[in-house]
């Protein structure tokens, strides 16, 4: 019977598909020990060695090291506990590989220089604490010192990326690009100006009721004109521009005059930064939010309409 039969290394190799050299290697390290010796001194193994070697091969395929495998087969360690720890380690490796893949994809798509590639690589390698520090530094640069208005807490939350522990490839690519954008001094300065404008408007205007988002209000006023194909320089655009100015006058708590329209133009130009749209697109990918609506066409129309009229 198989239970009483002893096998040579060659027979064990045929049964398991492993090489004689590999079995001898495992035997020398005490992972699979011989049951007996032949009269000529050759090692002989019981049928249990087949099952043991099958388990060893499986665990090696899964990436476990030999000392850990020996403890498992000797029942010094629980296989489920080892599997859980190994799965966690693999999750970290998967995350790193996805981030590396993100860097290579961005480099290929954008034709980056070696210096830009190095920066991308560094951003992809950030630890969770380092990512948190980068996000905090960006938000502090934008909002620090603008007062305790509770509205800013909501704005900050809406601008905070939260990369999952095991991001999808698309999320990893978005994170790398988001981090690059957040480190851009010019972009930081532009977002800071928008935050300062918002703070000034809230301090000067009517604070008794809820505020609509400025860009969303512009969209609601201008979208019908875009749909109707109205030229921003035409007289047909006058009522829309007047409505924009009236809305902004209400926000600022001051009359609609030449100075207010000049300030409105500057405000629209500040908001009409393509990087702003890109920021929120990337944020939506990272946080698994619905894709945001692009306001580029609405803002382009608004800027042109105001610019034409302030230059007359």
């Amino acid at each position: 019977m198989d239970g009483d039969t002893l096998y040579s290394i060659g027979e064990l190799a045929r049964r398991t598909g492993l090489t004689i050299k590999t079995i001898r290697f495992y035997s020398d390290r005490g992972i699979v020990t011989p049951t007996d010796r032949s009269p000529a001194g050759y090692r002989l193994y019981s049928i249990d060695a087949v099952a043991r070697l099958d388990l060893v091969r499986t665990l090696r395929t899964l990436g476990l090291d030999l000392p850990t495998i020996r403890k498992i087969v000797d029942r010094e360690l629980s296989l489920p506990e080892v599997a859980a720890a190994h799965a966690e380690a693999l999750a970290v490796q998967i995350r790193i590989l996805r981030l590396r893949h993100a860097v290579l994809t961005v480099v290929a798509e954008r034709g980056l220089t070696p210096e830009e590639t190095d920066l991308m690589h560094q951003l992809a390698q950030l630890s969770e604490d380092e990512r948190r520090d980068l996000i905090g530094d960006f938000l502090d640069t934008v909002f620090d010192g603008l007062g305790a208005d509770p509205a800013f807490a909501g704005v900050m939350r809406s601008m905070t990326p939260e990369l999952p522990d095991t991001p999808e490839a698309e999320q990893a690519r978005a994170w790398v690009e988001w981090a690059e954008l957040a480190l851009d001094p010019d972009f930081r300065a532009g977002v800071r100006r928008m935050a300062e404008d918002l703070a000034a408007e809230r301090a000067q205007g009517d604070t008794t009721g809820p505020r609509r988002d400025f860009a969303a209000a512009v969209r609601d006023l201008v979208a019908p004109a875009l749909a109707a194909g109205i030229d921003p320089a035409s007289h047909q655009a006058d009522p829309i521009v007047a409505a924009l100015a009236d809305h902004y006058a209400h926000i600022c708590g001051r009359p609609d005059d030449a100075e207010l329209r000049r300030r409105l133009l500057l405000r629209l130009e500040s908001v009409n930064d393509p990087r702003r749209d890109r920021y929120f697109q990337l944020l939506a990918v990272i946080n698994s939010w619905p894709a945001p609506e692009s306001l580029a066409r609405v803002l382009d129309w608004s800027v042109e309409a105001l610019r034409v009229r302030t230059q007359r």
Side-chain angles (χ1 to χ4, degrees), residues 171 174 278-292:
Q171 290 175 305
R278 187 57 182 160
Y279 181 98
F280 287 106
Q281 289 167 2
L282 295 170
L283 196 64
V285 173
I286 296 168
N287 291 353
S288 298
W289 292 345

Side-chain angles (χ1 to χ4, degrees), residues 131-200:
R131 290 201 312 271
R132 192 180 298 112
D133 288 344
L134 171 58
I135 294 166
D137 181 61
F138 171 75
L139 295 175
D140 285 346
T141 298
V142 172
F143 294 105
D144 188 46
L146 294 183
D149 190 326
F152 284 112
V155 174
M156 289 176 69
R157 283 194 299 273
S158 73
M159 294 181 67
T160 301
E162 296 178 357
L163 187 68
D165 291 336
T166 55
E168 298 296 331
E170 188 180 17
Q171 290 175 305
R173 287 196 296 272
W175 158 256
V176 172
E177 189 178 343
W178 180 93
E180 181 191 28
L181 190 58
L183 284 172
D184 183 341
D186 185 58
F187 178 71
R188 286 188 174 208
V191 180
R192 172 70 183 187
R193 284 193 296 273
M194 283 187 270
E196 289 172 341
D197 288 340
L198 176 60

Side-chain angles (χ1 to χ4, degrees), residues 11-47:
E11 292 169 330
L12 208 57
R14 285 191 292 274
R15 276 181 168 263
T16 62
L18 296 171
T19 66
I20 292 174
K21 182 179 179 181
T22 298
I23 295 174
R24 186 176 289 118
F25 174 80
Y26 289 154
S27 184
D28 290 342
R29 278 155 182 76
I31 294 175
V32 179
T33 56
T35 302
D36 203 349
R37 294 266 179 176
S38 71
Y42 294 111
R43 287 178 267 201
L44 299 173
Y45 299 85
S46 70
I47 190 63

Side-chain angles (χ1 to χ4, degrees), residues 5 33 68 71 80 92 120 182 198 259 261 283 299 302:
T5 305
T33 56
T68 301
K71 290 179 180 178
V92 173
M120 285 283 186
L198 176 60
E259 174 59 19
R261 294 196 175 200
L283 196 64
L299 293 170
S302 304

Side-chain angles (χ1 to χ4, degrees), residues 14 51 90 100 144 198 208 269 303:
R14 285 191 292 274
L90 284 175
R100 288 177 181 170
D144 188 46
L198 176 60
T208 58
E269 288 174 336
V303 167

